Tab-separated table of all heavy atoms in Angstrom:
chain	number	residue	atom	x	y	z
A	1	THR	N	17.557	-0.669	-16.435
A	1	THR	CA	16.271	-1.236	-16.789
A	1	THR	C	15.636	-0.542	-17.986
A	1	THR	O	14.537	-0.880	-18.403
A	1	THR	CB	15.294	-1.195	-15.608
A	1	THR	OG1	15.196	0.174	-15.137
A	1	THR	CG2	15.797	-2.058	-14.460
A	2	SER	N	16.360	0.440	-18.545
A	2	SER	CA	15.859	1.162	-19.714
A	2	SER	C	17.056	1.727	-20.480
A	2	SER	O	18.027	2.206	-19.901
A	2	SER	CB	14.926	2.289	-19.297
A	2	SER	OG	14.623	3.130	-20.383
A	3	GLU	N	16.950	1.679	-21.799
A	3	GLU	CA	18.040	2.201	-22.629
A	3	GLU	C	18.175	3.713	-22.467
A	3	GLU	O	19.224	4.292	-22.662
A	3	GLU	CB	17.786	1.858	-24.094
A	3	GLU	CG	18.936	2.265	-25.010
A	3	GLU	CD	18.761	1.791	-26.449
A	3	GLU	OE1	17.825	1.003	-26.684
A	3	GLU	OE2	19.539	2.245	-27.318
A	4	SER	N	17.092	4.372	-22.076
A	4	SER	CA	17.079	5.834	-21.967
A	4	SER	C	18.025	6.359	-20.885
A	4	SER	O	18.425	7.515	-20.924
A	4	SER	CB	15.655	6.331	-21.686
A	4	SER	OG	15.186	5.846	-20.454
A	5	VAL	N	18.392	5.506	-19.915
A	5	VAL	CA	19.263	5.979	-18.816
A	5	VAL	C	20.743	5.696	-19.114
A	5	VAL	O	21.598	6.041	-18.311
A	5	VAL	CB	18.844	5.346	-17.480
A	5	VAL	CG1	17.427	5.681	-17.139
A	5	VAL	CG2	19.045	3.836	-17.499
A	6	ILE	N	21.034	5.044	-20.234
A	6	ILE	CA	22.427	4.778	-20.572
A	6	ILE	C	23.102	6.047	-21.028
A	6	ILE	O	22.626	6.757	-21.895
A	6	ILE	CB	22.534	3.703	-21.689
A	6	ILE	CG1	21.890	2.386	-21.205
A	6	ILE	CG2	23.974	3.468	-22.084
A	6	ILE	CD1	21.862	1.314	-22.265
A	7	THR	N	24.258	6.347	-20.420
A	7	THR	CA	24.982	7.581	-20.698
A	7	THR	C	26.245	7.305	-21.504
A	7	THR	O	26.706	6.159	-21.640
A	7	THR	CB	25.370	8.277	-19.387
A	7	THR	OG1	26.273	7.456	-18.651
A	7	THR	CG2	24.125	8.543	-18.546
A	8	LYS	N	26.827	8.398	-22.027
A	8	LYS	CA	28.084	8.278	-22.776
A	8	LYS	C	29.205	7.795	-21.852
A	8	LYS	O	30.144	7.123	-22.279
A	8	LYS	CB	28.452	9.630	-23.406
A	8	LYS	CG	27.477	10.074	-24.498
A	8	LYS	CD	27.889	11.428	-25.043
A	8	LYS	CE	26.892	11.869	-26.125
A	8	LYS	NZ	27.238	13.220	-26.656
A	9	GLU	N	29.110	8.150	-20.568
A	9	GLU	CA	30.128	7.739	-19.626
A	9	GLU	C	30.126	6.220	-19.485
A	9	GLU	O	31.167	5.585	-19.261
A	9	GLU	CB	29.852	8.391	-18.264
A	9	GLU	CG	30.928	8.144	-17.223
A	9	GLU	CD	30.706	6.883	-16.408
A	9	GLU	OE1	29.539	6.478	-16.258
A	9	GLU	OE2	31.710	6.288	-15.954
A	10	MET	N	28.960	5.583	-19.695
A	10	MET	CA	28.869	4.133	-19.565
A	10	MET	C	29.417	3.410	-20.787
A	10	MET	O	30.165	2.420	-20.633
A	10	MET	CB	27.394	3.724	-19.385
A	10	MET	CG	26.766	4.147	-18.080
A	10	MET	SD	25.041	3.536	-18.016
A	10	MET	CE	24.477	4.271	-16.469
A	11	VAL	N	29.083	3.875	-21.993
A	11	VAL	CA	29.418	3.110	-23.206
A	11	VAL	C	30.082	3.950	-24.309
A	11	VAL	O	30.292	3.450	-25.412
A	11	VAL	CB	28.170	2.436	-23.786
A	11	VAL	CG1	27.635	1.372	-22.838
A	11	VAL	CG2	27.083	3.464	-24.090
A	12	GLY	N	30.398	5.205	-24.028
A	12	GLY	CA	31.052	6.023	-25.036
A	12	GLY	C	30.079	6.581	-26.077
A	12	GLY	O	28.871	6.468	-25.974
A	13	GLN	N	30.672	7.196	-27.134
A	13	GLN	CA	29.905	7.899	-28.147
A	13	GLN	C	29.243	6.951	-29.151
A	13	GLN	O	28.156	7.245	-29.659
A	13	GLN	CB	30.835	8.856	-28.917
A	13	GLN	CG	31.440	9.967	-28.061
A	13	GLN	CD	30.494	11.166	-27.969
A	13	GLN	OE1	29.394	11.153	-28.539
A	13	GLN	NE2	30.900	12.206	-27.257
A	14	LYS	N	29.867	5.798	-29.442
A	14	LYS	CA	29.390	4.933	-30.520
A	14	LYS	C	29.354	3.479	-30.020
A	14	LYS	O	30.218	2.679	-30.357
A	14	LYS	CB	30.286	5.061	-31.724
A	14	LYS	CG	29.769	4.320	-32.942
A	14	LYS	CD	30.740	4.484	-34.105
A	14	LYS	CE	30.273	3.692	-35.344
A	14	LYS	NZ	31.228	3.748	-36.452
A	15	PRO	N	28.343	3.104	-29.252
A	15	PRO	CA	28.268	1.743	-28.743
A	15	PRO	C	27.670	0.762	-29.748
A	15	PRO	O	26.887	1.132	-30.631
A	15	PRO	CB	27.375	1.864	-27.521
A	15	PRO	CG	26.447	2.997	-27.876
A	15	PRO	CD	27.286	3.958	-28.681
A	16	LEU	N	28.050	-0.501	-29.615
A	16	LEU	CA	27.453	-1.579	-30.387
A	16	LEU	C	26.224	-2.080	-29.629
A	16	LEU	O	26.317	-2.440	-28.467
A	16	LEU	CB	28.464	-2.722	-30.561
A	16	LEU	CG	27.931	-4.043	-31.167
A	16	LEU	CD1	27.458	-3.801	-32.604
A	16	LEU	CD2	29.004	-5.126	-31.110
A	17	LYS	N	25.052	-2.106	-30.294
A	17	LYS	CA	23.817	-2.508	-29.657
A	17	LYS	C	23.399	-3.899	-30.180
A	17	LYS	O	23.249	-4.083	-31.405
A	17	LYS	CB	22.690	-1.516	-29.921
A	17	LYS	CG	22.974	-0.113	-29.407
A	17	LYS	CD	21.820	0.822	-29.723
A	17	LYS	CE	22.117	2.231	-29.247
A	17	LYS	NZ	20.988	3.176	-29.532
A	18	ILE	N	23.257	-4.863	-29.287
A	18	ILE	CA	22.905	-6.219	-29.679
A	18	ILE	C	21.874	-6.814	-28.703
A	18	ILE	O	21.617	-6.211	-27.657
A	18	ILE	CB	24.148	-7.159	-29.703
A	18	ILE	CG1	24.800	-7.187	-28.308
A	18	ILE	CG2	25.141	-6.691	-30.751
A	18	ILE	CD1	25.961	-8.156	-28.235
A	19	LYS	N	21.324	-7.963	-29.056
A	19	LYS	CA	20.385	-8.643	-28.197
A	19	LYS	C	20.959	-9.971	-27.732
A	19	LYS	O	21.722	-10.618	-28.467
A	19	LYS	CB	19.063	-8.910	-28.910
A	19	LYS	CG	18.220	-7.667	-29.161
A	19	LYS	CD	16.808	-8.040	-29.554
A	19	LYS	CE	16.065	-8.642	-28.361
A	19	LYS	NZ	14.618	-8.820	-28.630
A	20	ALA	N	20.626	-10.369	-26.538
A	20	ALA	CA	20.942	-11.709	-26.059
A	20	ALA	C	19.820	-12.605	-26.554
A	20	ALA	O	18.642	-12.301	-26.389
A	20	ALA	CB	21.048	-11.749	-24.549
A	21	VAL	N	20.154	-13.748	-27.176
A	21	VAL	CA	19.139	-14.595	-27.764
A	21	VAL	C	18.884	-15.854	-26.923
A	21	VAL	O	17.981	-16.626	-27.265
A	21	VAL	CB	19.571	-15.014	-29.189
A	21	VAL	CG1	19.625	-13.813	-30.117
A	21	VAL	CG2	20.930	-15.733	-29.168
A	22	GLY	N	19.642	-16.021	-25.875
A	22	GLY	CA	19.434	-17.212	-25.023
A	22	GLY	C	20.337	-17.181	-23.817
A	22	GLY	O	21.152	-16.271	-23.643
A	23	LEU	N	20.149	-18.180	-22.968
A	23	LEU	CA	20.961	-18.332	-21.753
A	23	LEU	C	21.739	-19.618	-21.809
A	23	LEU	O	21.275	-20.604	-22.386
A	23	LEU	CB	20.074	-18.323	-20.502
A	23	LEU	CG	19.180	-17.099	-20.286
A	23	LEU	CD1	18.297	-17.317	-19.079
A	23	LEU	CD2	20.037	-15.857	-20.114
A	24	GLY	N	22.920	-19.632	-21.219
A	24	GLY	CA	23.748	-20.836	-21.232
A	24	GLY	C	23.059	-21.963	-20.460
A	24	GLY	O	22.226	-21.727	-19.579
A	25	THR	N	23.432	-23.209	-20.777
A	25	THR	CA	22.807	-24.363	-20.141
A	25	THR	C	23.276	-24.537	-18.692
A	25	THR	O	22.623	-25.227	-17.912
A	25	THR	CB	23.087	-25.645	-20.906
A	25	THR	OG1	24.505	-25.792	-21.016
A	25	THR	CG2	22.480	-25.588	-22.284
A	26	LEU	N	24.382	-23.922	-18.329
A	26	LEU	CA	24.927	-24.083	-16.979
A	26	LEU	C	24.420	-23.026	-16.011
A	26	LEU	O	24.403	-23.245	-14.804
A	26	LEU	CB	26.459	-24.053	-17.010
A	26	LEU	CG	27.156	-25.205	-17.713
A	26	LEU	CD1	28.653	-25.075	-17.595
A	26	LEU	CD2	26.690	-26.536	-17.133
A	27	SER	N	24.074	-21.855	-16.537
A	27	SER	CA	23.734	-20.768	-15.616
A	27	SER	C	22.866	-19.722	-16.315
A	27	SER	O	23.089	-19.395	-17.474
A	27	SER	CB	25.023	-20.090	-15.098
A	27	SER	OG	24.727	-18.915	-14.414
A	28	PRO	N	21.887	-19.156	-15.584
A	28	PRO	CA	21.114	-18.036	-16.137
A	28	PRO	C	21.872	-16.748	-16.140
A	28	PRO	O	21.333	-15.698	-16.492
A	28	PRO	CB	19.894	-17.979	-15.197
A	28	PRO	CG	20.390	-18.512	-13.894
A	28	PRO	CD	21.379	-19.573	-14.251
A	29	SER	N	23.166	-16.787	-15.738
A	29	SER	CA	24.045	-15.601	-15.826
A	29	SER	C	24.946	-15.667	-17.040
A	29	SER	O	25.760	-14.763	-17.250
A	29	SER	CB	24.892	-15.469	-14.550
A	29	SER	OG	24.089	-15.279	-13.410
A	30	ASP	N	24.840	-16.722	-17.840
A	30	ASP	CA	25.580	-16.839	-19.100
A	30	ASP	C	24.664	-16.402	-20.241
A	30	ASP	O	23.589	-16.967	-20.434
A	30	ASP	CB	26.017	-18.284	-19.352
A	30	ASP	CG	27.162	-18.715	-18.435
A	30	ASP	OD1	27.844	-17.818	-17.889
A	30	ASP	OD2	27.342	-19.928	-18.276
A	31	LEU	N	25.097	-15.411	-20.992
A	31	LEU	CA	24.290	-14.851	-22.086
A	31	LEU	C	24.798	-15.319	-23.447
A	31	LEU	O	25.974	-15.186	-23.755
A	31	LEU	CB	24.317	-13.322	-22.030
A	31	LEU	CG	23.554	-12.654	-20.890
A	31	LEU	CD1	23.832	-11.173	-20.826
A	31	LEU	CD2	22.042	-12.897	-21.038
A	32	ILE	N	23.886	-15.853	-24.250
A	32	ILE	CA	24.205	-16.213	-25.618
A	32	ILE	C	23.839	-15.019	-26.486
A	32	ILE	O	22.668	-14.574	-26.501
A	32	ILE	CB	23.406	-17.448	-26.074
A	32	ILE	CG1	23.687	-18.629	-25.154
A	32	ILE	CG2	23.755	-17.817	-27.515
A	32	ILE	CD1	22.796	-19.833	-25.397
A	33	LEU	N	24.803	-14.475	-27.203
A	33	LEU	CA	24.589	-13.279	-27.978
A	33	LEU	C	24.324	-13.641	-29.433
A	33	LEU	O	24.711	-14.693	-29.932
A	33	LEU	CB	25.820	-12.383	-27.915
A	33	LEU	CG	26.269	-12.009	-26.474
A	33	LEU	CD1	27.427	-11.006	-26.552
A	33	LEU	CD2	25.120	-11.417	-25.681
A	34	GLU	N	23.644	-12.751	-30.119
A	34	GLU	CA	23.290	-13.004	-31.521
A	34	GLU	C	24.568	-13.114	-32.362
A	34	GLU	O	25.621	-12.493	-32.091
A	34	GLU	CB	22.393	-11.886	-32.059
A	34	GLU	CG	22.928	-10.477	-31.911
A	34	GLU	CD	21.857	-9.446	-32.245
A	34	GLU	OE1	20.743	-9.830	-32.573
A	34	GLU	OE2	22.183	-8.251	-32.195
A	35	GLN	N	24.471	-13.900	-33.416
A	35	GLN	CA	25.639	-14.253	-34.232
A	35	GLN	C	26.342	-13.030	-34.841
A	35	GLN	O	27.568	-13.030	-34.990
A	35	GLN	CB	25.204	-15.195	-35.366
A	35	GLN	CG	26.343	-15.744	-36.212
A	35	GLN	CD	27.299	-16.629	-35.398
A	35	GLN	OE1	26.844	-17.470	-34.632
A	35	GLN	NE2	28.598	-16.430	-35.598
A	36	THR	N	25.603	-11.978	-35.127
A	36	THR	CA	26.213	-10.797	-35.752
A	36	THR	C	27.261	-10.135	-34.869
A	36	THR	O	28.090	-9.370	-35.378
A	36	THR	CB	25.115	-9.765	-36.094
A	36	THR	OG1	24.391	-9.462	-34.891
A	36	THR	CG2	24.166	-10.303	-37.146
A	37	ALA	N	27.240	-10.398	-33.560
A	37	ALA	CA	28.178	-9.756	-32.653
A	37	ALA	C	29.433	-10.585	-32.416
A	37	ALA	O	30.396	-10.098	-31.830
A	37	ALA	CB	27.503	-9.458	-31.328
A	38	VAL	N	29.392	-11.865	-32.815
A	38	VAL	CA	30.484	-12.780	-32.469
A	38	VAL	C	31.827	-12.321	-33.008
A	38	VAL	O	32.839	-12.273	-32.298
A	38	VAL	CB	30.163	-14.209	-32.963
A	38	VAL	CG1	31.362	-15.127	-32.766
A	38	VAL	CG2	28.944	-14.736	-32.238
A	39	GLY	N	31.874	-11.970	-34.292
A	39	GLY	CA	33.130	-11.560	-34.896
A	39	GLY	C	33.766	-10.365	-34.203
A	39	GLY	O	34.998	-10.315	-33.972
A	40	GLU	N	32.964	-9.397	-33.818
A	40	GLU	CA	33.458	-8.201	-33.133
A	40	GLU	C	34.016	-8.536	-31.747
A	40	GLU	O	35.095	-8.123	-31.397
A	40	GLU	CB	32.324	-7.188	-33.007
A	40	GLU	CG	32.550	-6.074	-32.003
A	40	GLU	CD	33.603	-5.066	-32.411
A	40	GLU	OE1	34.024	-5.084	-33.596
A	40	GLU	OE2	33.991	-4.257	-31.545
A	41	LEU	N	33.285	-9.330	-30.984
A	41	LEU	CA	33.678	-9.611	-29.600
A	41	LEU	C	34.814	-10.615	-29.496
A	41	LEU	O	35.566	-10.619	-28.526
A	41	LEU	CB	32.487	-10.087	-28.789
A	41	LEU	CG	31.317	-9.077	-28.658
A	41	LEU	CD1	30.244	-9.627	-27.754
A	41	LEU	CD2	31.825	-7.757	-28.121
A	42	GLU	N	34.932	-11.495	-30.498
A	42	GLU	CA	36.063	-12.436	-30.493
A	42	GLU	C	37.419	-11.725	-30.530
A	42	GLU	O	38.432	-12.268	-30.068
A	42	GLU	CB	35.930	-13.402	-31.657
A	42	GLU	CG	35.017	-14.576	-31.395
A	42	GLU	CD	34.986	-15.560	-32.543
A	42	GLU	OE1	35.113	-15.143	-33.715
A	42	GLU	OE2	34.835	-16.759	-32.267
A	43	LYS	N	37.443	-10.534	-31.057
A	43	LYS	CA	38.703	-9.757	-31.134
A	43	LYS	C	39.064	-9.141	-29.788
A	43	LYS	O	40.145	-8.524	-29.657
A	43	LYS	CB	38.550	-8.644	-32.173
A	43	LYS	CG	38.247	-9.142	-33.583
A	43	LYS	CD	37.959	-7.969	-34.511
A	43	LYS	CE	37.512	-8.441	-35.878
A	43	LYS	NZ	37.154	-7.290	-36.779
A	44	LEU	N	38.181	-9.264	-28.789
A	44	LEU	CA	38.364	-8.684	-27.459
A	44	LEU	C	38.718	-7.199	-27.526
A	44	LEU	O	39.822	-6.771	-27.166
A	44	LEU	CB	39.448	-9.456	-26.704
A	44	LEU	CG	39.098	-10.883	-26.297
A	44	LEU	CD1	40.254	-11.534	-25.577
A	44	LEU	CD2	37.838	-10.914	-25.439
A	45	PRO	N	37.788	-6.382	-28.004
A	45	PRO	CA	38.027	-4.938	-28.107
A	45	PRO	C	38.259	-4.279	-26.749
A	45	PRO	O	37.758	-4.780	-25.733
A	45	PRO	CB	36.757	-4.414	-28.778
A	45	PRO	CG	35.717	-5.444	-28.475
A	45	PRO	CD	36.427	-6.748	-28.466
A	46	ALA	N	38.949	-3.192	-26.747
A	46	ALA	CA	39.379	-2.533	-25.513
A	46	ALA	C	38.212	-2.099	-24.630
A	46	ALA	O	38.345	-2.060	-23.395
A	46	ALA	CB	40.254	-1.334	-25.862
A	47	TYR	N	37.070	-1.781	-25.217
A	47	TYR	CA	35.962	-1.299	-24.375
A	47	TYR	C	35.473	-2.392	-23.410
A	47	TYR	O	34.908	-2.082	-22.362
A	47	TYR	CB	34.813	-0.762	-25.227
A	47	TYR	CG	34.237	-1.673	-26.259
A	47	TYR	CD1	33.364	-2.686	-25.908
A	47	TYR	CD2	34.539	-1.505	-27.623
A	47	TYR	CE1	32.812	-3.525	-26.869
A	47	TYR	CE2	33.998	-2.335	-28.585
A	47	TYR	CZ	33.121	-3.349	-28.205
A	47	TYR	OH	32.576	-4.159	-29.158
A	48	LEU	N	35.704	-3.667	-23.732
A	48	LEU	CA	35.370	-4.734	-22.810
A	48	LEU	C	36.278	-4.663	-21.567
A	48	LEU	O	35.804	-4.807	-20.442
A	48	LEU	CB	35.478	-6.097	-23.486
A	48	LEU	CG	34.525	-6.396	-24.636
A	48	LEU	CD1	34.792	-7.793	-25.179
A	48	LEU	CD2	33.085	-6.266	-24.193
């Protein structure tokens, strides 16, 4: 519930910080991410 409690064990030394800009039309558990993150996540990086 706060960025201050996020530890290195959770996301490592250099995490990518982004915002969710909307919710999917099918479910409030589907997150639409800002366009700047799409290229990075489409590669399916290992941290996922």
Side-chain angles (χ1 to χ4, degrees):
T1 56
S2 171
E3 185 175 350
S4 62
V5 301
I6 299 176
T7 64
K8 294 179 181 178
E9 186 272 331
M10 293 181 184
V11 294
Q13 297 274 1
K14 187 181 178 184
L16 171 64
K17 299 179 182 181
I18 59 175
K19 289 195 68 171
V21 296
L23 302 175
T25 57
L26 294 182
S27 170
S29 297
D30 287 341
L31 288 171
I32 302 171
L33 305 184
E34 55 189 1
Q35 186 64 45
T36 55
V38 173
E40 164 71 11
L41 298 184
E42 277 184 326
K43 300 173 186 177
L44 292 179
Y47 55 78
L48 296 180

